Amino acid sequence: MTPPLCLTPHEARRIAVASTLLDPAALSLDDVPQRLRIIQLDSITTLARAHQLTLTARLPHLTTSQADTLLHHQPRPLTFEYPAHAHALVPLDDWPLWAFRRRAARRRPEYPPPAERCRILALLREHGPLTHAGLRPPSAQASAGWSWGPVKRAVEFMLWAGDLICVHRTAGWQRLFDLPERHLPDHLHTDTLTDDACLTTLLTHAGRALGTATTSDLADYLRIPTRHATRLLPHTPLLPTTIPHWPPNTWTHPDALNPPPASSEQAQLLGPFDNLVWNRPRTRRLFGFTHVFEAYKPAEHRTYGYYVCPLLTDDQLTARADLTRNGHHLTVLRTHAEPDAPADTPARLDQACRRLQHTLAGLAFGAGPA
């Protein structure tokens, strides 16, 4: 048996940051979904949309609006929306790999009955892509807030089951649902892969996106039971790895080894849904940094703020900033440096804010109340 690979915590951090295309940065927009495989979406727009922050953190020459234009105006869609990690953008080429989840969705009791599925599909065949509102019967009421009415529930489960696809949104950020065969070439429009074949390939992709990760990290990336990852990881190219103070069930993708040295010139703020930090136990393990998202807490119960972005410098998370966007102004409401942050952290935070200012299309930058 081949002995496990041995990495230091410093090497693990360098591999993780480089693997997620933060340093060195991606070369083109196509590179990001092909590496990350899952780019989380979120409805909060305090600063920008979650996927815009994830994309532009890896493509610093683009603004958020430019990234969206490139993403949504390709001759062939680059991505489709799917409940992968959470609701996310997934490469169109990965459609066959999510057959295991589509099959599971069809077995759930919430999967709509044939009559409702036929009604929705007939509307799409006749009218083309439609929003939730366009798929509701005239007598049906819209869902309110977080509640799901019967039509929304049917549409969501048909999306999960692969009866519907979403590759575009309206200018008002409403999803446009359509028939998958209108957007998928025949070789992709298939559910023929077995569950194990799907998961083995997806675990390999997750390993490349993370670089080095525990079994539970890899399972969390795909939102699958850890027992499935435990069973299938030995059948992937990932290498068993030991890292001091990490759990024994750790793996590294061979292509992630030997990353280039970290750049000492870049400092950047990461969105709270960024792939590098969305797994909180892994973030603590890699960086000794406790990442929290407090937007849904009452204001008086927040420690760091509403929309808080970690600061990445030299492969470390050294501070965090509560940020907001008011019209044409990027405002820093509060900042917190880590106890062991270097002395130049305020200057690096200022550098990162100015970089983010460019990303948000040239907003003015200033400080808010302490």
Side-chain angles (χ1 to χ4, degrees):
M1 181 179 293
T2 304
L5 179 71
C6 296
L7 297 175
T8 67
H10 173 78
E11 289 170 330
R13 283 194 300 273
R14 174 87 289 257
I15 286 171
V17 173
S19 292
T20 198
L21 294 180
L22 284 165
D23 181 17
L27 297 177
S28 72
L29 181 73
D30 295 19
D31 295 336
V32 183
Q34 287 299 319
R35 171 62 60 82
L36 299 182
R37 299 290 171 169
I38 296 170
I39 299 173
Q40 191 165 338
L41 295 161
D42 190 76
S43 58
I44 296 177
T45 57
T46 298
L47 187 61
R49 297 199 180 274
H51 72 284
Q52 294 173 327
L53 295 174
T54 299
L55 290 170
T56 53
R58 290 150 179 85
L59 297 161
H61 60 288
L62 293 181
T63 66
T64 53
S65 60
Q66 288 170 337
D68 262 2
T69 297
L70 287 173
L71 185 68
H72 294 297
H73 292 85
Q74 301 285 338
R76 174 178 176 264
L78 289 178
T79 61
F80 67 101
E81 295 190 20
Y82 196 68
H85 173 81
H87 195 70
L89 297 174
V90 177
L92 195 73
D93 290 346
D94 282 1
W95 178 276
L97 301 178
W98 293 94
F100 80 98
R101 187 155 292 168
R102 292 194 291 272
R103 286 190 285 264
R106 295 180 202 124
R107 294 192 294 266
R108 292 182 58 167
E110 300 93 340
Y111 187 50
E116 178 65 355
R117 299 201 306 270
C118 288
R119 184 191 70 80
I120 290 170
L121 295 174
L123 283 173
L124 294 172
R125 290 190 189 100
E126 181 179 357
H127 300 289
L130 294 170
T131 64
H132 271 296
L135 293 170
R136 285 198 302 269
S139 59
Q141 292 187 347
S143 301
W146 292 101
S147 66
W148 284 14
V151 176
K152 180 173 174 60
R153 183 179 298 108
V155 170
E156 295 297 336
F157 274 89
M158 289 178 71
L159 184 78
W160 298 349
D163 303 321
L164 307 179
I165 194 171
C166 174
V167 295
H168 295 296
R169 291 191 177 229
T170 68
W173 197 241
Q174 297 296 308
R175 280 179 292 171
L176 284 168
F177 300 96
D178 204 354
L179 304 174
E181 55 266 29
R182 289 179 175 156
H183 303 279
L184 292 166
D186 290 343
H187 73 281
L188 293 180
H189 193 202
T190 175
D191 280 2
T192 57
L193 290 177
T194 66
D195 286 8
D196 280 4
C198 292
L199 291 172
T200 301
T201 302
L202 286 170
L203 284 166
T204 303
H205 289 336
R208 186 64 186 99
L210 295 175
T212 190
T214 66
T215 300
S216 60
D217 295 339
L218 293 161
D220 173 78
Y221 202 82
L222 305 172
R223 293 288 169 88
I224 63 172
T226 303
R227 67 181 185 276
H228 294 332
T230 300
R231 179 171 57 85
L232 294 171
L233 278 166
H235 302 286
T236 71
L238 275 61
L239 305 173
T241 305
T242 62
I243 304 171
H245 311 300
W246 280 49
N249 53 339
T250 296
W251 303 82
T252 301
H253 197 290
D255 293 347
L257 297 173
N258 304 313
S263 168
S264 60
E265 299 178 359
Q266 292 296 332
Q268 58 182 310
L269 289 154
L270 305 179
F273 300 101
D274 193 278
N275 299 54
L276 185 66
V277 298
W278 74 29
N279 183 326
R280 296 174 191 180
R282 182 172 187 266
T283 303
R284 285 194 296 271
R285 200 183 316 121
L286 274 170
F287 303 103
F289 184 95
T290 301
H291 177 50
V292 296
F293 185 64
E294 302 179 292
Y296 300 116
K297 293 182 180 180
E300 63 272 17
H301 295 160
R302 295 176 195 142
T303 302
Y304 299 110
Y306 180 83
Y307 203 83
V308 177
C309 296
L311 176 69
L312 177 68
T313 58
D314 304 328
D315 289 348
Q316 293 284 1
L317 297 177
T318 57
R320 63 193 89 205
D322 184 19
L323 304 173
T324 190
R325 175 179 183 163
N326 298 312
H328 295 290
H329 293 272
L330 170 67
T331 302
V332 181
L333 300 174
R334 281 191 286 179
T335 63
H336 292 81
E338 290 295 283
D340 57 351
D344 66 348
T345 295
R348 303 300 293 275
L349 184 58
D350 181 81
Q351 174 194 6
C353 285
R354 296 186 186 282
R355 174 177 172 171
L356 182 60
Q357 169 189 328
H358 163 75
T359 296
L360 299 174
L363 298 185
F365 159 49

